[in-house]
Amino acid sequence: MKHLIILCLLVIGCKGNSQKKTTDKYKVSKAEAEWKAQLSDQEYYVLRKSGTERAFTSPLNKHYEKGIYVCKACETPLFKSDHKYDSGSGWPSFDREIKGNVAFSTDYKIGYARTEEHCATCGSHLGHVFNDGPRDTTGKRHCINGIALKFIPKS
Ligand code: FE
């Protein structure tokens, strides 16, 4: 009897996993309730509902310590401090992302096309990319919600 129960649990467990693999778009995928439990209300609103934090409210806006910025939801490295600059917009800004770890889409939320960016590992929303970045480097301005990031110092 005991063995039968264990066997049943194994079968159910495997089935759950294989279903997950075929339907999930992202390597890290969680139910809404799980994200809600893991993140604060404000983090959930920005990362999972594509919200925007108020300008000049992030402690990371004018933060220039050496290190990397990882996804608040899944800790994938997304940006390097070497590529951070002060855009004056009120949001943490970078002239480039860590290639392959950030994915892009087009959003028409405010009436015209903007390039939205999100974590390539978990799909969480990060911000938008604009073409008014530093001309001497990439010309790109990755305008990122500070609340979507976690800073890891180099040391
Ligand atoms: Fe992520």
Side-chain angles (χ1 to χ4, degrees):
M1 187 60 191
K2 202 173 162 192
H3 286 103
L4 191 67
I5 291 170
I6 290 169
L7 188 68
C8 285
L9 287 172
L10 280 172
V11 168
I12 292 166
C14 291
K15 202 177 167 207
N17 271 338
S18 64
Q19 274 177 343
K20 224 176 174 185
K21 258 177 205 153
T22 52
T23 53
D24 290 346
K25 198 174 156 192
Y26 297 104
K27 226 188 287 172
V28 170
S29 181
K30 296 183 184 186
E32 286 304 297
E34 283 180 86
W35 285 125
K36 263 190 185 158
Q38 180 192 329
L39 304 166
S40 72
D41 288 354
Q42 200 54 28
E43 287 165 359
Y44 179 80
Y45 165 70
V46 171
L47 289 158
R48 306 304 310 172
K49 294 286 158 199
S50 302
T52 300
E53 72 188 8
R54 276 198 302 129
F56 300 101
T57 58
S58 172
L60 294 180
N61 182 32
K62 296 212 173 185
H63 180 268
Y64 298 103
E65 211 185 310
K66 289 270 176 215
I68 56 161
Y69 294 84
V70 304
C71 174
K72 181 75 76 62
C74 78
E75 308 217 325
T76 294
L78 302 173
F79 300 97
K80 293 178 181 174
S81 59
D82 289 350
H83 304 135
K84 194 170 189 295
Y85 73 100
D86 186 6
S87 67
S89 67
W91 288 281
S93 302
F94 303 85
D95 71 2
R96 75 203 74 173
E97 79 284 18
I98 294 177
K99 285 251 176 310
N101 292 1
V102 174
F104 303 91
S105 69
T106 304
D107 103 36
Y108 295 90
K109 264 187 148 181
I110 56 172
Y112 60 89
R114 288 184 301 170
T115 304
E116 183 270 353
E117 60 187 305
H118 52 274
C119 172
T121 307
C122 75
S124 291
H125 172 71
L126 305 170
H128 293 86
V129 199
F130 302 97
N131 292 319
D132 56 7
R135 289 185 178 239
D136 53 329
T137 61
T138 62
K140 299 286 180 192
R141 172 169 61 98
H142 294 253
C143 184
I144 306 300
N145 291 285
I147 202 169
L149 303 173
K150 180 174 143 190
F151 178 71
I152 310 217
K154 201 174 181 180
S155 51

